[in-house]
Amino acid sequence: MYKRPALPFRGRKRGKLYLISETPHHGNGESMKHKTVLIDGKVLYVHVNRSAPDFVSCLKVLCEEIGVPVSDFSIGLEIQSPTA
């Protein structure tokens, strides 16, 4: 079993923007553009308004934090039709 990161999780050493949080707000009080995920019955908010390089960098830090070898991690993309 992997350990959980401390929340809120930034994914970097500095800054007020969270990658994962228990609330849909960043450290500066700003609302987070997010996707909601349910993990072990707990609602978490994942910030999705990031550049691809920044998101991958934060995921690398997350893997290191929870003890998952980065080489075991993969990212899949799904194309969604725009809604009217």
Side-chain angles (χ1 to χ4, degrees), residues 24-83:
H25 298 91
H26 293 293
N28 60 5
E30 180 182 324
S31 290
M32 175 189 296
K33 183 172 180 178
H34 66 275
K35 292 288 184 182
T36 304
V37 296
L38 186 64
I39 298 177
D40 293 335
K42 187 172 195 171
V43 175
L44 297 178
Y45 302 89
V46 180
H47 182 213
V48 296
N49 192 23
R50 293 176 175 264
S51 69
D54 183 57
F55 197 72
V56 170
S57 175
C58 289
L59 290 175
K60 180 180 181 286
V61 173
L62 178 62
C63 286
E64 292 166 354
E65 177 90 7
I66 65 173
V68 174
V70 174
S71 61
D72 289 354
F73 190 82
S74 65
I75 298 173
L77 300 175
E78 180 180 316
I79 298 173
Q80 297 180 346
S81 300
T83 56

